[in-house]
């Protein structure tokens, strides 16, 4: 008498194409980030002379855009191909990387909460370094201007931090027209003024400090961000939870699909 074993295991099309759709968004977003980063570098002449990257002593926002683009492109490609071809190696790579990123985010959040003074000091150093390089890179300049305008702040701890920049320094040796001033993004906006006055910060710090409040933001960006966080803690927590849930959903889809594929392979071995 012979006994036959029939396996009912099969790969779920729902999980397969849901994971594919999930990753196609990753992949397209990665392509968009890479395209934006490469376009920004081409505009700055970096692609024709790659040594320009090392000449900037501050932070180049384009580098972050490119890193995010590479990670998203790689993960999206691995997830898409892994789902369509039912490739366990690619699916495990995708799943493992998402788990690593999730744990890294969680670790950073916990450490930032536990070591707030250290984080504050490092952010202050980071901001001051970038103030020095403010005029060296247009993307860095736009980033700092946006940060100061949105948060109504000026400098790391205050307007005096702009002495760190060679163009805004108050020293007698400086020949810059911006000497002893601040960037226009530090200026208190005039509601009646429809055109941005990029020279509004000229010579501001030559005036007495009691006049500053009416002309420029006197709060530093670090205190401004520290004040902003408690007021918007629910928004920050909501964004973090939403990102975490998306990552957990991706991990669930990948692990489920891997289990289905392994079950089918195990059934075919009989």
């Amino acid at each position: 008498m012979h006994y036959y074993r029939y396996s009912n295991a099969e790969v779920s099309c729902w999980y397969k194409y849901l994971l594919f759709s999930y990753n196609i968004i990753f992949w397209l977003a990665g392509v968009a980030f890479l395209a934006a980063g490469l376009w920004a570098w081409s505009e700055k002449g970096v692609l024709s002379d790659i040594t320009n990257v090392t000449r900037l002593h501050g932070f180049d926002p384009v580098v972050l855009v490119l890193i995010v683009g590479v990670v998203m492109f790689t993960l999206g490609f691995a997830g898409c191909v892994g789902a369509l071809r039912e490739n366990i190696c690619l699916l495990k790579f995708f799943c493992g990387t998402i788990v690593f990123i999730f744990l890294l985010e969680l670790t950073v959040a916990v450490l930032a909460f536990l070591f707030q003074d250290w984080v504050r000091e490092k952010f202050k150093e980071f901001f001051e370094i970038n103030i020095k390089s403010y005029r060296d890179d247009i993307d860095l300049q736009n980033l700092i201007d946006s940060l100061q305008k949105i948060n109504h702040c000026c400098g790391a701890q205050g307007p005096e931090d702009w002495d760190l920049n060679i163009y805004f320094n108050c020293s007698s040796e400086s020949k810059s027209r911006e000497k002893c001033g601040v960037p226009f993004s530090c200026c208190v906006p005039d509601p009646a003024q429809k055109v941005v006055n990029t020279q509004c910060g000229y010579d501001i710090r030559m005036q007495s400090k009691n006049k500053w409040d009416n002309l420029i933001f006197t709060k530093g960006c670090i205190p401004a961000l520290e004040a902003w966080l408690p007021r918007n803690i629910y928004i920050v927590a909501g964004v973090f939870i939403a990102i975490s849930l998306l990552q957990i959903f991706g991990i669930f889809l990948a692990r489920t699909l891997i289990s289905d594929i392994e079950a089918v392979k195990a059934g075919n071995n009989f």
Side-chain angles (χ1 to χ4, degrees), residues 235-248:
I235 296 175
V236 175
V239 170
F240 181 78
I241 291 171
I243 293 173
S244 299
L245 289 175
L246 281 173
Q247 291 172 331
I248 292 170

Side-chain angles (χ1 to χ4, degrees), residues 138-160:
I138 187 64
D139 293 312
L140 174 62
Q141 183 175 308
N142 290 334
L143 179 65
I144 292 176
D145 283 337
S146 297
L147 184 63
Q148 292 189 146
K149 284 190 289 186
I150 292 171
N151 293 285
H152 293 178
C153 60
C154 188
Q157 295 290 350
E160 293 92 343

Side-chain angles (χ1 to χ4, degrees), residues 207-219:
Q207 303 181 33
S208 59
K209 289 189 176 181
N210 57 5
K211 296 181 180 179
W212 288 8
D213 286 329
N214 298 323
L215 301 171
I216 61 172
F217 305 122
T218 55
K219 180 183 285 188

